[in-house]
Amino acid sequence: MSEISMVHDERTSIEGEDFEHLSLETQSMGMWLFLMSEVMFFGAVFAAYIVYRHAYPQVFEEASRHLDLTLGSINTAILLTSSFCMALAVNSAARGLRKQIVFFLLATVLLGIIFLGIKFIEYSKEFSAHLFPGGDFQYPGSDPARAKIFFSLYFTLTGLHAVHMIIGIFLILILARSAWRGHFTAERYAPVDMIGLYWHFVDMVWIFIFPLLYLIGPK
Amino acid sequence: MTDLSNIPRRTYFLVYLALMVLLAATVGATFLPLGPFHLAISVVIAVAKAVLVMLFFMHLRHTRGRTIFLILGGFLLLLILIGLTNIDYFTRVNGLPMVH
């Protein structure tokens, strides 16, 4: 097989081998570049949040009390724990411990699914309380029109975050299968590192979403 | 990049513990009569948590060179995005368009 067609064959692979000639550092820099574009993506929504919270501080404070602080706090703890498991999965990959990579990846996925389950419970409570800013939006407070903005931002931020979680869970499951089949060694584990960075990024977005939506003002 | 296999598991656990303590602190602070300081405290704690995650979980502590420049550049753009947007709205004489 000629040199050129070998290169071509590698690039058609789906498991990341097409970048194998790059160092781990270069691959992780590529991931960071993508993550910084994600920072700008979420940054735009956070900018909108700051504009409206600054304009209607009391409305935001009152509307925030309609969210479930207990479930929100539990979910934050679950997500931090899942990030911890992901960090251990990457560490296991660097040490070349195949079974531990799979174990910690599956623990990360399990915690991610529990997070989404709790988020689903929260959403159904808010939908049945008519707090979703759609056609039958009903708000018991003093300024429904402006509270609607708070709930629009709430569903946008948490919804985009949940979409990122779902993508992350699928990526980690594919990663766990590759790890189980022994595709990673202590020298070559860039995909574990990169998806790890992605998962921690999603955790970091939640670290800001949580206080800005759930923890406004005194209880 | 430094060899990550040398980082002891204990480091990750201590960072995780610190994150949980910060979470408890930020939730606890909402029940205290702190007046206008609520926002400042919750933002400072959130930034502290994010920095811990980036330094230890995303191992920025062991990252050097161009990746760091790339990240700093990204956050500079974020600052411009959020900063200029808000300078515009905060200085409008008539405030935001009315919501009906």
Side-chain angles (χ1 to χ4, degrees), chain A residues 50-116:
Chain A
I50 296 168
V51 167
Y52 282 105
R53 173 154 175 193
H54 182 256
Y56 314 128
Q58 281 87 23
V59 177
F60 268 47
E61 200 176 310
E62 191 189 282
S64 165
R65 296 209 186 95
H66 290 82
L67 302 181
D68 194 322
L69 176 61
T70 312
L71 290 183
S73 308
I74 291 170
N75 250 355
T76 310
I78 288 170
L79 211 51
L80 291 174
T81 312
S82 85
S83 246
F84 172 56
C85 290
M86 185 42 118
L88 291 180
V90 176
N91 185 256
S92 304
R95 293 170 187 225
L97 304 169
R98 184 178 71 98
K99 284 184 180 166
Q100 288 198 23
I101 307 174
V102 176
F103 173 79
F104 286 121
L105 285 179
L106 292 181
T108 307
V109 163
L110 182 68
L111 290 163
I113 290 169
I114 295 172
F115 175 95
L116 287 174

Side-chain angles (χ1 to χ4, degrees), chain A residues 103-176:
Chain A
F103 173 79
F104 286 121
L105 285 179
L106 292 181
T108 307
V109 163
L110 182 68
L111 290 163
I113 290 169
I114 295 172
F115 175 95
L116 287 174
I118 292 177
K119 198 70 225 151
F120 180 78
I121 294 169
E122 272 187 83
Y123 275 168
S124 24
K125 279 172 64 182
E126 283 139 16
F127 269 87
S128 50
H130 302 285
L131 291 174
F132 182 77
D136 65 343
F137 180 75
Q138 286 165 33
Y139 181 67
S142 53
D143 197 342
R146 285 167 178 172
K148 203 172 179 175
I149 298 174
F150 173 84
F151 288 104
S152 299
L153 287 164
Y154 165 77
F155 280 102
T156 307
L157 278 170
T158 56
L160 286 174
H161 179 264
V163 169
H164 279 78
M165 295 272 304
I166 293 166
I167 293 168
I169 286 170
F170 278 110
L171 290 174
I172 296 172
L173 286 174
I174 295 168
L175 198 62

Side-chain angles (χ1 to χ4, degrees), chain A residues 26 29 32 44 50-51 53-55 81 88 91-92 94-95 100 146 193 197 200 204 207 215 218-219, chain B residues 4-5 7 9 12 16 26 30 39 46 54 57-59 66-67 70-71 81 86 89-90 96 98-99:
Chain A
T26 304
M29 189 185 77
W32 272 105
I50 296 168
V51 167
R53 173 154 175 193
H54 182 256
T81 312
L88 291 180
N91 185 256
S92 304
R95 293 170 187 225
Q100 288 198 23
R146 285 167 178 172
D193 182 64
L197 288 176
H200 295 310
M204 252 169 48
I207 284 175
L215 301 179
K219 291 291 156 199
Chain B
L4 300 178
S5 62
I7 301 171
R9 296 253 155 112
Y12 292 106
Y16 171 61
T26 194
T30 52
L39 178 62
M54 284 195 289
F57 286 179
M58 300 170 96
H59 34 78
R66 23 188 209 152
T67 307
L70 185 128
I71 294 164
L81 170 73
N86 283 285
Y89 281 103
F90 288 4
L96 289 172
M98 270 305 292
V99 172

Side-chain angles (χ1 to χ4, degrees), chain A residues 6-75:
Chain A
M6 263 177 69
V7 170
H8 178 76
D9 284 347
E10 279 181 17
R11 293 207 172 159
T12 54
S13 155
I14 55 159
E15 290 188 319
E17 286 95 332
D18 37 336
F19 299 118
E20 266 187 359
H21 59 287
L22 299 172
S23 71
L24 179 64
E25 191 186 348
T26 304
Q27 296 187 63
S28 108
M29 189 185 77
M31 196 62 197
W32 272 105
L33 182 60
F34 165 68
L35 292 182
M36 292 326 285
S37 79
E38 289 269 79
V39 165
M40 298 303 282
F41 175 75
F42 278 99
V45 190
F46 280 115
Y49 170 91
I50 296 168
V51 167
Y52 282 105
R53 173 154 175 193
H54 182 256
Y56 314 128
Q58 281 87 23
V59 177
F60 268 47
E61 200 176 310
E62 191 189 282
S64 165
R65 296 209 186 95
H66 290 82
L67 302 181
D68 194 322
L69 176 61
T70 312
L71 290 183
S73 308
I74 291 170
N75 250 355

Side-chain angles (χ1 to χ4, degrees), chain B residues 43-93:
Chain B
V43 169
V44 166
I45 291 180
V47 170
K49 280 156 87 181
V51 167
L52 280 177
V53 169
M54 284 195 289
L55 283 183
F56 293 93
F57 286 179
M58 300 170 96
H59 34 78
L60 272 194
R61 211 165 48 114
H62 301 285
T63 308
R64 295 279 173 272
R66 23 188 209 152
T67 307
I68 297 294
F69 279 108
L70 185 128
I71 294 164
L72 290 177
F75 281 119
L76 181 69
L77 288 175
L78 178 71
L79 198 70
I80 292 170
L81 170 73
I82 290 181
L84 289 188
T85 305
N86 283 285
I87 285 169
D88 174 5
Y89 281 103
F90 288 4
T91 52
R92 284 190 187 189
V93 180

